[in-house]
Amino acid sequence: MTTTTAPTTTTVLDASDVTMRFGGLTAVRSVDLVVNSGEIVGLIGPNGAGKTTFFNCLTGLYVPTEGKVSYKGTVLPPKPHLVTQAGIARTFQNIRLFANMTVLENVLVGRHTRTKEGLWSALLRLPGFKRAEEASRERAMELLEFTGLAAKADHLARNLPYGEQRKLEIARALASEPGLLLLDEPTAGMNPQETRAAEELIFAIRDQGIAVLVIEHDIRFIMNLCDRVAVLVQGEKIVEGPAEVVQADERVIAAYLGTPFEGAPGQEEAAEVEAAEAHSTTEGDDK
Amino acid sequence: MTTKTPSTDSSATSKAATAPATPVVPLPPAAARAITGAGSALALVGTFLAWTWTDEFPGNLTVTGYPGGLQVLTLVGAALTLLFVLSGYGIRGLGWLTPGGTNSPVLLGALGVLGTTGYTMGAISQELGGLVNLEPGAWVSGIGALVAVLGALGLPADQPYGADESRPGLWGRIRHSLTAPEPGRAKDLPSWAEILIIAAGFGVGLYVFAYGIGTEYSELFIGFLITAGFGFTAVTRAGLLKRLSALTAKHRNVTLAAAFVAAICFPFTQGNDQFALIGANILIFATVALGLNVVVGLAGLLDLGYVAFLGVGAYAAALVSGSPQSSIGLHFPFWAAVLTGALASLIFGVVIGAPTLRLRGDYLAIVTLGFGEIFRITMNNLNGNSGPDVTNGSNGIPNIPDLEIFGFNLGVPHNVLGHELTRSGNYYLLMLLFTAIVVMVFRRSAESRIGRAWVAIREDETAATAMGINGFRLKLLAFALGACLAGLAGTVQAHVSYSVTPEQYQFAGSVPPNSAFLLAAVILGGMGTISGPLIGAALLYLIPAKLQFMAEYQLLLFGAALMLLMRYRPEGLVADRRKQLEFHETGQLDVPDDKPLPDGATGVAKAGA
Ligand SMILES: Nc1ncnc2c1ncn2[C@@H]1O[C@H](COP(=O)(O)OP(=O)(O)OP(=O)(O)O)[C@@H](O)[C@H]1O
Ligand SMILES: [Mg+2]
């Protein structure tokens, strides 16, 4: 099913039978997903399909009601910090930077799991402290260089323009030296130019040997980028496969545009939709 | 005289609404400057004359040729104003005084003089019964100050108006005339000169502070507050403070050293034990506030019962320090008592923190508030009647013997290099050592991986945990460290005050180290900074201690002051380094609001899952 060319692929992420229920609402229903090393996998689906919820289950922010998530063969405990420690890093759909910290400090926080200087080391300035601190700074600057933010290292994160905030979130995630990067709508709110740049960045990340799982609504972006795409609709994975195949799949089109009535001509339906849009002031059913 | 101001002002409004930066009083700049100069000179001269006929008014203002008491404050204010005026004339050698604004410092200085002089005249008339008690000197200074203010209001504003505020009203223009542009970058001086400037800055700071503590009567202290308040603002507007803080940021270790040298010098300036005791108590309060700043300022945990940790440290030390009323009856050496106190607080901190730190936000505040009260009530009840006899209940543990460290008895006055060091002076110096430790702990932990993790948790706990930070563990670490630091201060406090009683450790009370005032010191001073809580604590202790006649209104005034501060300077008196980075502001308007909401439901989801 996968289109990866490398002969020695290993499974990085293996989520099996992940289910997340909020009271009566099943936001994610027995989803299986595998990500192999060297892959960029896309996760698409209409609004409210449960994509972000699925990410939260993978990263331990939510404890899945059922199912398990394993990373490189070991089952992950549902604790976000342990997941990051294991090697999965993520960004957030609604940017969650440390707004009042500088750009550099944001990335340094990302290094938390890869450094171990504790309180005593800091208080007594033990010999290793300065070295570790400098190494961290160096690595963080490299990452800022990589994402093109080096010139703004001393700015407060909240003062960055939107596109750069997204980049900084990626740099911060990369600082934890992940084997798998989860990106939740990395190009939301970007102009086409910035989107192209983000594509380049994600390819460069993949080339560093980091597998990427990306949620995105921009179908062109997904087509360019992904080796494989999974489609989530109402919490269920309905299709998975190469981007072109998925794009042509009837069920996917139905999920995005709505199921055509039996035998009803398309034009009639379009007119209906327009009329409904013109009348309604509240948000309609997105089916 | 006073009725003149509004009339001139209304004519000014109609005439000069078109010009970009009109002064409040329409005067040619040269005339305005001359009038201001003449007014402040007059006020200055007036201080050498008698202000009243009897020395019943404190400070003896009856002597001609020798200013005393409140006259000195007017004198200092007038001299400062005059200096700023002269600097405005571009007199060589005075330009360095006003790298920022020139005219707003003059106005502020003149207002300060008017405030102090006016207050003094009012106080004399009120206490001695009528204006007849004022001698001509007071009128000379008062009229001089008024003239100076009117003249200063005629000076052009330092800053042109922004595009959108071309027609401000009278109030807008007065406010505008008090603003000033930021000073440009100073040219680099040789580093010895810069260090000398830092030293001089701290020297002045120490002098002003020691003067404030040493004020003998509340009239003088109020005058001091007026003069110091306006003087400080004037110096800020002149850009001197910015210059100084640029230097202190450059030479951080020198600054720290200078601050401690200045602090060490303080008890030698106070021959009166009562004032040295105020100093020692301020240090205790300030140190505990700095400890709280680890918890609140860095990790963002709202702890409303923090004073309990001070109490645990104090009680633990009191029990093992050889008080005859101690139920344990041990007499540890001081260092062991300190360790006992710090350890007890640490354990208490972990015991309280472990269950409560799993809660977020408001819950934590309420639970800590409850624990703070529980501590006090428990100490009250361990009296042998309602519980086992450990703490003597409300009588507390009195008669804690004075310390003797390396043969140096802290309980008796000593003569050091010709200066008398009183008992409180001794304890002040001992406490200063602990303050230094806490400052170092704060600074070193803040600038480390751990400190960054704390700030990250404060900023966005969900994102922090997603970055691999064990939120609970780090919060517990901050909480326990904060507790330990407070306990450390408590061990000294027990000795300074001879006794510990439950009523010293309240949520809110009239004597400062209590939870509400500690939190206020941190917020008022500036969260996440070192100097902020120290300054905040000094002000919050000194003002009520000096103005005891207002004790009944203390909490009311305190609340009002806090509200005003939060309205006009929410970041506190000392802004965090991170907030000082504002010159990097891009002016970007499409930056999203920094608090995203939807993912925040994690806790709920976890509970429901
Ligand atoms: N903490 C929660 N409690 C209750 N319901 C939730 C919670 N989180 C998500 N949901 C619900 O789960 C469903 C899936 O939401 P989710 O955010 O995962 O969608 P999404 O696919 O990421 O959509 P979008 O494309 O808009 O980001 C929605 O109906 C949402 O309301
Ligand atoms: Mg989403």
Side-chain angles (χ1 to χ4, degrees), chain A residues 22 25 27 46-53 62 93 185 217, chain B residues 601 605:
Chain A
F22 299 110
L25 173 81
N47 290 119
K51 306 180 294 295
T52 300
T53 306
Y62 291 170
Q93 179 174 355
E185 303 196 14
H217 283 297

Side-chain angles (χ1 to χ4, degrees), chain B residues 194 246 356 371:
Chain B
E194 295 187 339
T356 51
F371 269 109

Side-chain angles (χ1 to χ4, degrees), chain A residues 61 63 81 84 94 96 98-100 102 105 108 112-113 115 117 122-123 125 133 156 158-160 165 172, chain B residues 444 448-449 452 456 459-460 463 465-470 577-578 581 585-586 591 598-599 602 606 609:
Chain A
L61 282 179
V63 184
H81 65 275
T84 312
N94 35 20
R96 304 190 77 140
F98 306 121
N100 288 314
T102 66
E105 283 171 330
L108 284 172
H112 189 85
T113 49
T115 44
E117 274 55 48
L123 292 184
R125 297 278 136 124
E133 195 76 349
L156 288 188
R158 69 176 147 95
N159 293 339
L160 293 186
Q165 294 202 1
R172 182 180 71 174
Chain B
R444 289 191 165 181
S448 74
R449 169 176 171 268
R452 284 192 296 268
E459 290 288 307
D460 185 337
T465 52
M467 287 301 115
I469 291 167
N470 185 339
R577 172 183 60 90
R578 297 189 172 89
L581 287 170
E585 299 269 6
T586 52
V591 176
D599 275 21
T602 318
K606 281 215 155 162

Side-chain angles (χ1 to χ4, degrees), chain B residues 228-246:
Chain B
F230 278 102
F232 182 79
T233 321
V235 167
T236 311
R237 290 288 181 274
L240 288 177
L241 202 71
K242 204 87 184 174
R243 283 281 157 89
L244 190 65
S245 65

